[in-house]
Amino acid sequence: MTDKIRNKTIALLVLAGAQFIVVLDATITNVALPALASALNFADNAQLQWVVTAYTLLFGGFLLLGGRLSDLIGRRKVFLSGIGIFAISSLFAGFAQNPEQMIIFRGLQGLGAALLSPAALSLLLTIFKEGKERNQAMGVWSGVAAGGGAVGLLLGGILTQYASWRWIFFINVPVSIIVIALSMRFLPADSATK
């Protein structure tokens, strides 16, 4: 395997891994909601629903902004900013002590995801040449992202039962650190296009 192919393969794994944890985080929390509600003393189900809604609302609401920022200041910069916000807010969500903190940190996770997701797709489209190479990369990226939803439900149950509900957030931190480290080496730096 040549260095160029190896670098592209690692870049694809990095981008797919980042998208995996974005989708994973949309579902992993659902299984842990009863344990989370009990531990943090949520007032009712309406307040508890905001743990899921805050993430989804900010993710959907800022997705277009994430794409535009990628165009303005650079794909890799926005990608790294997004994964950084995602990792830090995941850590803080794991340490949350009350419902308000949890909802705020879940919203920030959604914001980080909204920055990194369009930047990751844009990077994928620029790294891989149009045609078979790009089609294969898109297939891998889409498959891994789709698998994140299913794995999230399973992993959420396992972590909640055998560790703690807090680990559904803590698990994002080492994965994000690995993604950041590999991104610095294998994702191309680019200039803003304005």
Side-chain angles (χ1 to χ4, degrees):
M1 184 183 300
T2 67
D3 283 347
K4 187 175 181 180
I5 294 172
R6 181 180 64 88
N7 290 351
K8 282 187 173 187
T9 302
I10 294 172
L12 175 59
L13 293 175
V14 166
L15 296 170
Q19 189 63 22
F20 178 81
I21 62 171
V22 166
V23 176
L24 174 100
D25 228 57
T27 59
I28 196 170
T29 311
N30 293 345
V31 179
L33 285 176
L36 201 147
S38 174
L40 298 181
N41 298 317
F42 275 81
D44 54 26
N45 285 339
Q47 186 186 33
L48 182 62
Q49 182 58 40
W50 275 101
V51 173
V52 176
T53 303
Y55 181 89
T56 322
L57 191 62
L58 268 77
F59 178 62
F62 286 95
L63 205 54
L64 290 175
L65 177 64
R68 184 62 182 140
L69 284 174
S70 294
D71 291 339
L72 293 174
I73 62 175
R75 296 171 187 91
R76 190 171 85 163
K77 287 178 187 172
V78 173
F79 178 79
L80 289 169
S81 298
I83 196 79
I85 292 168
F86 188 84
I88 291 167
S89 57
S90 293
L91 181 66
F92 288 156
F95 286 120
Q97 298 299 310
N98 58 53
E100 293 77 18
Q101 289 177 0
M102 176 57 66
I103 292 167
I104 289 168
F105 296 135
R106 282 290 287 166
L108 289 173
Q109 276 185 307
L111 176 63
L115 294 176
L116 79 88
S117 197
L121 181 58
S122 184
L123 281 162
L124 187 92
L125 296 176
T126 57
I127 292 170
F128 294 93
K129 290 186 299 189
E130 191 172 354
K132 183 180 178 184
E133 182 180 89
R134 185 179 292 170
N135 293 343
Q136 288 176 337
M138 287 295 296
V140 169
W141 190 76
S142 301
V144 168
V151 172
L153 294 173
L154 179 64
L155 189 58
I158 291 169
L159 289 173
T160 302
Q161 184 171 354
Y162 295 108
S164 163
W165 64 266
R166 294 183 186 278
W167 279 97
I168 65 173
F169 301 110
F170 291 150
I171 198 166
N172 294 329
V173 177
V175 174
S176 297
I177 290 170
I178 292 168
V179 167
I180 290 168
L182 292 174
S183 296
M184 298 298 287
R185 172 130 191 243
F186 294 102
L187 295 182
D190 59 354
S191 55
T193 56
K194 294 186 184 180

